[in-house]
DNA sequence: TAGATTGTTAATCGATTAACAATC
DNA sequence: TAGATTGTTAATCGATTAACAATC
């Protein structure tokens, strides 16, 4: 029942879909049934044509004058993002960030289920952090194969990121969510998503400097 | 001593600079003094021309045959990103993610100093989380003005994000790092950086589905 | 010197935005 | 009906990549 054309859309579109989904869920909770691209665009300060192009990848068509069915869009976006089914994942590294991710409830509505956490620290192994058991990392390969887990989350110190990734790959993990600044090398049949916070901080720093600089030159404009 | 041309570069370049910086710091720690765009490109799997274009925004020029001075690049990138001086910040919301950010040591090397945390929960107010004091949110406006804090980090539940942002803006905060999925409305003289994890998860989900789908159609290629 | 490398201009690629006929 | 809205093609914009003279 997956779209035959596999019109996967571009990655920029994929990045915007969760934003639309969040907005649509709010509208839906308010009992609203239809929404036009014009209205979505106004709320998100985006271009209406872009909204229509983005929504087109879900296969949902709108109705002239009425717009798009909100429940239909919600279902279709979730299906497109594979958030309609649960994907099991392993997390390695139960420090501050790892523990925070284990406790983040939002993942459940995004089809992500962190089934087991791993660490090397004997003080942590055997513990239960936010309802998730922490096992010795040596147990990962065997468990990954038995549980058919394909997604791995890396929240270890940067120096260990590559070796954890290597272990994951050898265990059959096919997708890695990397929260370290390390540039991890992986084979072509594995995908990686880098979620390094310093990237966002860099952008914010530059933007802040820019907006503060404008203050002093305001008289020039 | 800030560049007179204010050649701010594009945001894509800014996103890549922390990656270069991390790599350069590693090379520097190994005692290496020069590196060419060709070698950086090979290590990061990027285009050499893109590396040269990106590095040009820092004002550092390379030497034909030798490449770029690693220490000079490190200094220049840090200066460009404003990571050479410390910026004070407030954090609102001391849940799982907020606590994790308070404990993240990496921020120090990026010039970010979270001076105070805020919450509304009486059980948390007065506590000290990872060496940072937690105050009642009602203290934020006064303190922001007295301490001249311009950067705010939002790690509250999504429903409260807008009201926290409004409070920050009224207190003189000029840059907001938003970790909620909420589309926050801000005046034009304030900048925002959205760091919603679900965006990255969406991309990874689609990529994983794509790579798993390839397995079954491998015979077609 | 010979050749690896830079810095920059031109060409290409991809994503965003504009224009507009079709439609309910 | 009149007009708000869709879906799509064409135009524009911006970022990446190719080409290459200058250079150490």
């Amino acid at each position: 029942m997956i779209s035959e054309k596999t019109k996967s859309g571009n990655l920029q579109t994929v990045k915007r879909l969760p934003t639309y989904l969040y907005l649509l869920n709010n509208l839906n909770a308010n009992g609203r049934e239809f929404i036009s691209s014009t209205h979505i665009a106004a709320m998100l300060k985006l271009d209406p044509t872009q909204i229509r192009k983005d929504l087109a990848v879900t296969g949902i068509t709108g109705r002239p004058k009425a717009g798009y069915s909100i429940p239909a869009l919600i279902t279709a976006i979730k299906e497109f993002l594979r958030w309609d089914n649960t994907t099991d994942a392993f997390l390695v590294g139960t420090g501050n960030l790892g523990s925070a991710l284990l406790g983040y409830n939002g993942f459940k509505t995004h089809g992500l289920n962190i089934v087991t956490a791993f660490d090397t620290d004997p003080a942590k192994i055997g513990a239960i952090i936010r309802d998730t058991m922490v096992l010795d990392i040596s147990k990962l390969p065997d468990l990954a194969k038995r549980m058919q887990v394909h997604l791995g989350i890396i929240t270890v110190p940067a120096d260990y990121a590559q070796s954890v990734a290597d272990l994951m790959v050898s265990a059959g993990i096919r997708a890695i969510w990397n929260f370290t600044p390390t540039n991890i090398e992986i084979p072509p049949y594995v995908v990686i998503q880098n979620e390094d916070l310093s990237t966002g901080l860099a952008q914010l720093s530059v933007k802040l400097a820019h907006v503060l600089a404008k203050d002093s030159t305001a008289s020039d404009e």
Side-chain angles (χ1 to χ4, degrees), chain A:
Chain A
M1 217 53 83
I2 299 296
S3 63
E4 46 286 310
K5 290 179 77 179
T6 313
K7 173 84 164 77
S8 68
N10 69 46
L11 270 189
Q12 299 305 312
T13 295
V14 173
K15 273 176 81 170
R16 285 186 292 267
L17 289 177
T19 310
Y20 302 152
L21 182 60
Y22 183 81
L23 179 72
L24 292 165
N25 273 323
N26 274 344
L27 293 168
N28 192 48
N30 290 336
R32 180 126 185 204
E33 285 184 49
F34 281 86
I35 185 83
S36 73
S37 61
T38 326
H39 289 330
I40 295 177
M43 286 185 275
L44 300 178
K45 297 201 178 63
L46 294 174
D47 187 276
T49 305
Q50 182 167 73
I51 311 284
R52 293 199 288 278
K53 271 248 174 81
D54 285 346
L55 296 183
V57 303
T58 66
I60 298 295
T61 56
R63 288 216 321 253
K65 183 101 172 140
Y68 300 83
S69 157
I70 291 171
L73 274 184
I74 290 173
T75 304
I77 292 176
K78 278 189 190 160
E79 192 188 332
F80 184 87
L81 296 177
R82 266 67 176 186
W83 287 357
D84 53 339
N85 286 111
T86 296
T87 303
D88 287 342
F90 281 166
L91 180 144
V92 179
T94 58
N96 286 328
L97 185 56
S99 303
L101 295 183
L102 288 174
Y104 181 51
N105 289 311
F107 288 151
K108 286 184 192 114
T109 62
H110 299 148
L112 184 70
N113 181 30
I114 305 178
V115 288
T116 317
F118 297 89
D119 213 303
T120 52
D121 183 353
K124 284 174 174 167
I125 294 164
I128 289 177
I129 299 182
R130 312 201 201 290
D131 299 332
T132 311
M133 199 170 347
V134 182
L135 300 182
D136 188 288
I137 187 143
S138 64
K139 300 245 165 57
L140 189 147
D142 196 50
L143 215 53
K145 283 165 201 162
R146 267 202 287 143
M147 299 181 75
Q148 290 285 311
V149 171
H150 296 302
L151 205 164
I153 304 171
I154 300 182
T155 49
V156 298
D159 289 348
Y160 302 100
Q162 182 65 58
S163 63
V164 168
D166 291 344
L167 186 75
M168 285 179 168
V169 169
S170 72
I173 294 280
R174 301 297 296 278
I176 292 175
W177 205 3
N178 172 31
F179 284 83
T180 79
T182 309
N183 189 261
I184 292 177
E185 302 261 352
I186 39 149
Y189 55 86
V190 176
V191 294
I192 195 158
Q193 179 72 25
N194 292 309
E195 203 77 36
D196 182 13
L197 288 188
S198 62
T199 290
L201 182 57
Q203 293 189 76
L204 187 59
S205 302
V206 170
K207 284 196 248 175
L208 174 59
H210 190 71
V211 84
L212 290 179
K214 253 196 222 159
D215 290 354
S216 41
T217 59
S219 48
D220 304 346
E221 294 176 58

